[in-house]
């Protein structure tokens, strides 16, 4: 369940708890008992729209994310990617249908980190809010995101990349089946971006799902299984990366689609 508190920090703590979800039955297909592959719909949205002050900023967006796959929400700055994620999470008023079928961890905005806390204290506070204080798990998460050596320094002294790593640890705190990440590679150096891609691929290999919002084509091409392209609040494509790019690369297919929408 997502509880909204009185401050950005308390809202963030609430987002790290399990989002309200309705378990879904797996989708199975294949040629026989031994070859059947099952996927669970982790997130679905259909005809979701958002308006601010009477101005519509998201127009009937539809998408789906399934376990075992990384879904990338792609588009330029201001396209509506972050708004779409917040609508699906129930953080902004919207119309249409949306649901989350597995427990969910999120990384939104700056991660809601408190500059006066250390990384270890931040994890502990989030664990208290979620009712799941496990010192061993918190230590494992800090190690996973490469922040063990810096975990007792105040977050206010961290670089942007370090703060993103701590925010990712918070998103993982309740062992979610779905990660929703808004620009998770912000501030990461090339080695950090490579590490993030490998980590997320390993994460979905455990029958879990990832949804990432980004405007970086190279980042998307390196990790995406499925792509949702949004521009000016409108969904231009939603489906497997192979169906979008075909024999070309993602960049070529992306600009062919977005430039065509402008004409």
């Amino acid at each position: 369940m997502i509880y909204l508190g009185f401050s950005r920090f308390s809202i963030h703590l609430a987002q790290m708890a399990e989002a309200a979800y309705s378990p879904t039955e797996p989708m199975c297909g294949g040629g026989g008992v031994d070859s059947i592959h099952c996927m669970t719909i982790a997130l679905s949205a259909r005809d979701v729209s958002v308006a601010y002050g009477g101005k519509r900023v998201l127009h009937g967006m539809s998408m789906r994310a399934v376990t075992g796959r990384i879904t990338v929400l792609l588009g330029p700055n201001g396209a509506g990617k972050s708004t779409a994620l917040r609508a699906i999470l129930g953080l902004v008023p919207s119309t249409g249908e949306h649901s989350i079928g597995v427990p969910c961890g999120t990384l939104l905005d700056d991660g809601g980190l408190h500059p006066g806390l250390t990384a270890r204290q931040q994890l502990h506070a989030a664990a208290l809010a979620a009712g799941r204080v496990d010192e061993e798990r918190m230590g494992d998460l800090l190690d996973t995101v490469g922040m063990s050596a810096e975990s007792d320094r105040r977050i206010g002294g961290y670089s942007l990349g370090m703060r993103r790593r701590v925010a990712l640890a918070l998103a993982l705190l309740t062992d979610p089946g779905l990660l929703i990440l808004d620009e998770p590679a912000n501030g990461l150096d090339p080695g950090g971006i490579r590490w993030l891609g490998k980590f997320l691929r390993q994460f979905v290999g455990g029958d879990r799902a990832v949804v990432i919002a980004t405007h970086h084509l190279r980042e998307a091409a390196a990790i995406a299984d499925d792509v949702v392209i949004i521009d000016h609040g409108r969904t231009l494509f939603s489906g497997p990366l192979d169906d979008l790019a075909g024999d070309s690369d993602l960049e070529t297919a992306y600009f062919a689609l977005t430039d065509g929408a402008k004409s």
Side-chain angles (χ1 to χ4, degrees):
M1 185 176 295
I2 298 178
Y3 300 95
L4 299 183
F6 60 89
S7 68
R8 185 181 63 180
F9 181 49
S10 58
I11 289 174
H12 174 68
L13 294 184
Q15 291 167 351
M16 294 349 299
E18 293 181 0
Y21 71 98
S22 301
T24 57
E25 294 296 326
M27 303 180 302
C28 297
V33 173
D34 294 333
S35 64
I36 288 178
H37 178 66
C38 295
M39 297 181 293
T40 298
I41 299 175
L43 175 155
S44 68
R46 182 179 179 183
D47 198 26
V48 174
S49 297
V50 174
Y52 294 136
K55 180 181 178 181
R56 184 169 292 191
V57 296
L58 193 65
H59 305 262
M61 189 275 295
S62 296
M63 66 173 291
R64 185 176 70 176
V66 299
T67 56
R69 297 176 71 84
I70 298 173
T71 300
V72 175
L73 192 57
L74 188 61
N77 288 332
K81 303 183 301 296
S82 296
T83 299
L85 295 183
R86 282 161 177 72
I88 292 169
L89 287 165
L91 298 176
V92 297
S94 65
T95 60
E97 300 175 1
H98 53 81
S99 65
I100 293 175
V102 295
C104 175
T106 66
L107 191 167
L108 304 175
D109 297 318
D110 62 0
L113 304 179
H114 194 291
L117 297 179
T118 68
R120 194 175 300 277
Q121 289 170 337
Q122 181 87 70
L123 280 176
H124 187 83
L128 282 173
R132 297 187 179 187
V133 178
D134 184 334
E135 296 293 342
E136 182 177 357
R137 175 160 178 76
M138 287 186 279
D140 288 344
L141 287 174
L142 288 168
D143 186 57
T144 294
V145 301
M147 288 298 295
S148 291
E150 306 291 339
S151 62
D152 292 318
R153 284 180 51 200
R154 289 187 178 181
I155 291 169
Y158 288 172
S159 67
L160 176 58
M162 294 168 72
R163 293 197 297 271
R164 297 308 269 178
R165 287 175 181 263
V166 175
L168 179 59
L170 284 168
L172 293 165
L173 187 60
T174 58
D175 194 23
L178 167 66
L179 282 177
I180 296 179
L181 311 174
D182 194 358
E183 302 286 359
N186 275 359
L188 296 181
D189 60 22
I193 293 173
R194 185 184 183 193
W195 163 81
L196 179 64
K198 288 183 176 180
F199 170 77
L200 294 178
R201 180 56 58 192
Q202 182 181 21
F203 180 84
V204 299
D207 197 32
R208 292 173 287 195
V210 170
V211 174
I212 295 177
T214 184
H215 60 273
H216 294 293
L217 290 169
R218 286 188 178 181
E219 177 188 349
I223 63 174
D225 297 307
D226 302 301
V227 176
V228 180
I229 296 179
I230 294 181
D231 194 9
H232 292 92
R234 300 184 184 277
T235 306
L236 304 183
F237 176 87
S238 180
L241 175 60
D242 290 343
D243 289 354
L244 171 66
D247 294 331
S248 64
D249 57 36
L250 174 60
E251 181 175 349
T252 300
Y254 172 84
F255 283 112
L257 194 64
T258 55
D259 290 346
K262 296 173 185 175
S263 60

